[in-house]
Each structure stands twice: as structure tokens, then as C-alpha cells.
Amino acid sequence: MTTWLITGASSGLGRALTERVLAAGHQVVATARNTDALNDLRAAYPETALITSLDVTDPSSIDAAVARVEERWTGIDVLVNNAGYGYTAAVEEGEDEAVARLFATNFFGPVALIKAALPGMRGRGNGLIVNISSVGARITIPGGGYYSAAKAALEGLSGSLRKEVGPLGLRVMVVEPGSFRTDFRGRSADRSSVQIEAYDQVLGRTGDSALSPQRGAPEKAAAAILQAAEDAEPPKLLVLGSDALGGFRAAADDAARDVDRFEQLSRSTDAAS
């Protein structure tokens, strides 16, 4: 039995993963800003579900949540940084305060949780950090620049972190979901109040374009994450959804074409031997 701490557990992928991990017999610290939606899990799993309020942008809230885990159980075996939300704006339309809030939740919050969980994981010589990113970090759709940037920052940090803690017995896995049937486009989405007409058509504000269908089933994503986490060698990157796979490969091919095309120019900058 392992102990998981999952942020943003009240809805969407976080809720589905919490249910799946509990059903598999593990202990779960399910966190959210408002925990009312988690009361049913508290009743259903009184011995293995610890429901606690957590604001990932509040350091004291993070410290209190980690302390509760250590009081009840030995510590966190699997940390899942899932809490986050979207923000739609052309780069020129981005509002400074809104962008700062976005990064506080989607990037600096996970960083703070990682730093809070690492001492215990290092002490036990075992642990897994799962950072929920998005294929948006890779395909960088118009209007999603700030969200993509926050997720790309989380992925960059994860890569370095993996190399730092790997020799200590710890593992780091990034999850890149595509579009799933959650409230990401509703309650979990924010939009800039600034709208510049020049961007209306490219951002689909004229009705000329439609959002891609939400193909993914959260419960299937939860099962996939649990399976990957329990693997003897969890993947560095877990892509979820056929749309995410297509986006990942298209972005990789597009980047490779430019690298190949300008290979000689790239090599020309080496100092003469």
C-alpha cells in the first residue's frame, strides 16, 4: 500500500484518479481548495482517504497538508501535481495580474509541493513525482500561449529534477493529456478581458472555427496513470489520448524538419579546430 497526495482532486482528472487509486487499495490524501465535493470519498474510504483543504499558492497551506500526511501515515510516496486551470488570450492580450496568477497555480504551486515532499522522499530513498502537464505545452495553440508556457516550464523543471533525484532512488513522470471530458473549458478556464479585433478570427472568436472534441475519458486516463506509476520503470513522459499522440508526433516532425533544413548553418557556428 502506498500513500498518494493528489492536488485538484475535487473534479475532472484529479477526482477520477483519486477514485481509481482508492479503489486499488492505496491511501490517498485528496486535496482541493473546497473539499465539499470529496465528502462522499471520506465516507466510502474512512481508513484510506484523508481529505484536506489545500491552496497550492499558499505556502502555509502546503506545509499544513504535508504535516497532516506525516502525522497520519509515514509520508508521501506519490505526489501528483494536478491542480491547475487554463487561460485564453493572445500573447498581446495577456493581463499581467492574470498571467501571474496562472503561473502561481500551474507552475510555482507544483514547485512548492515538490520541495515540501522531497525531504521525506529522500529520507526513505523512494518516491514518485507525477506532474500533470498538457500536450498544449508541445502544440502551442493560438490563444494558449501563457498556459503552454506554464506547462512547458513545469516540463523543463521536471527533466532537470529527474536527473537530480534519480540517483537518490526517486522518479519523476510528466503526463501530457489531450482533450478530456472535464470542466477544463468551463469552471477551470479563465479568459482575458482584453480582446483585440485583429486576433478574432485566428482565435476562433468569429465562429469560423470550433473547439476540438473532448475525446478523452477521465476514468481511463486515471487507470493509465496508475498503471504507469506502478511500473518498475515509470515513463519519463506519458502521453494520454489519440489527439495528444497526433499532436506530439506532428510537433516533433515539424521541429525536426527545421533542424534538418538548417543543419549546416547550425554546424557553421562551431569554433574552428
Side-chain angles (χ1 to χ4, degrees):
M1 181 185 296
T2 57
T3 300
W4 292 53
L5 189 152
I6 302 172
T7 67
S10 62
S11 63
L13 179 57
R15 169 72 188 218
L17 182 59
T18 298
E19 292 177 354
R20 186 75 182 195
V21 175
L22 283 169
H26 299 292
Q27 298 168 158
V28 178
V29 186
T31 76
R33 288 189 176 186
N34 185 338
T35 61
D36 290 347
L38 295 167
N39 287 334
D40 60 323
L41 295 181
R42 191 199 314 267
Y45 298 94
E47 299 300 320
T48 55
L50 174 60
I51 311 301
T52 187
S53 178
L54 173 63
D55 178 353
V56 300
T57 67
D58 180 0
S60 63
S61 177
I62 291 172
D63 291 341
V66 173
R68 287 198 68 190
V69 182
E70 294 174 345
E71 287 171 6
R72 179 158 176 177
W73 296 310
T74 56
I76 302 166
D77 297 306
V78 182
L79 168 64
V80 181
N81 281 309
N82 168 71
Y85 66 94
Y87 177 66
T88 300
V91 171
E92 188 179 353
E93 297 171 340
E95 303 153 298
D96 291 348
E97 290 186 3
V99 172
R101 286 195 301 272
L102 181 78
F103 270 79
T105 298
N106 289 14
F107 178 69
F108 291 109
V111 171
L113 275 155
I114 289 167
K115 292 172 74 173
L118 276 177
M121 289 183 173
R122 282 192 293 103
R124 293 186 300 275
N126 183 54
L128 171 64
I129 295 169
V130 180
N131 290 327
I132 306 298
S133 180
S134 166
V135 74
R138 202 165 300 275
I139 64 175
T140 57
I141 63 171
Y146 292 104
Y147 177 75
S148 295
K151 291 301 188 181
L154 185 61
E155 292 199 20
L157 179 116
S158 299
S160 292
L161 177 65
R162 183 182 302 112
K163 294 172 183 176
E164 293 166 358
V165 302
L168 309 179
L170 313 185
R171 297 153 296 158
V172 180
M173 178 171 74
V174 169
V175 179
E176 275 191 13
S179 185
F180 277 77
R181 295 170 184 172
T182 68
D183 64 357
F184 182 79
R185 292 177 180 170
R187 183 178 63 85
S188 295
D190 190 14
R191 290 171 175 79
S192 173
S193 61
V194 178
Q195 292 195 359
I196 299 171
E197 186 177 353
Y199 299 112
D200 283 352
Q201 185 165 350
V202 71
L203 267 61
R205 293 195 292 239
T206 64
D208 292 338
S209 63
L211 291 171
S212 59
Q214 293 176 290
R215 296 189 182 93
E219 62 276 10
K220 292 184 177 181
I225 292 170
L226 177 58
Q227 181 177 333
E230 291 182 328
D231 194 272
E233 187 177 347
K236 299 178 182 68
L237 175 65
L238 178 65
V239 178
L240 295 179
S242 57
D243 58 340
L245 277 173
F248 177 94
R249 288 175 173 148
D253 289 345
D254 186 52
R257 277 191 294 270
D258 266 358
V259 171
D260 291 345
R261 182 183 170 203
F262 289 95
E263 180 177 355
Q264 293 306 314
L265 185 60
S266 298
R267 294 184 183 279
S268 73
T269 61
D270 291 350
S273 56

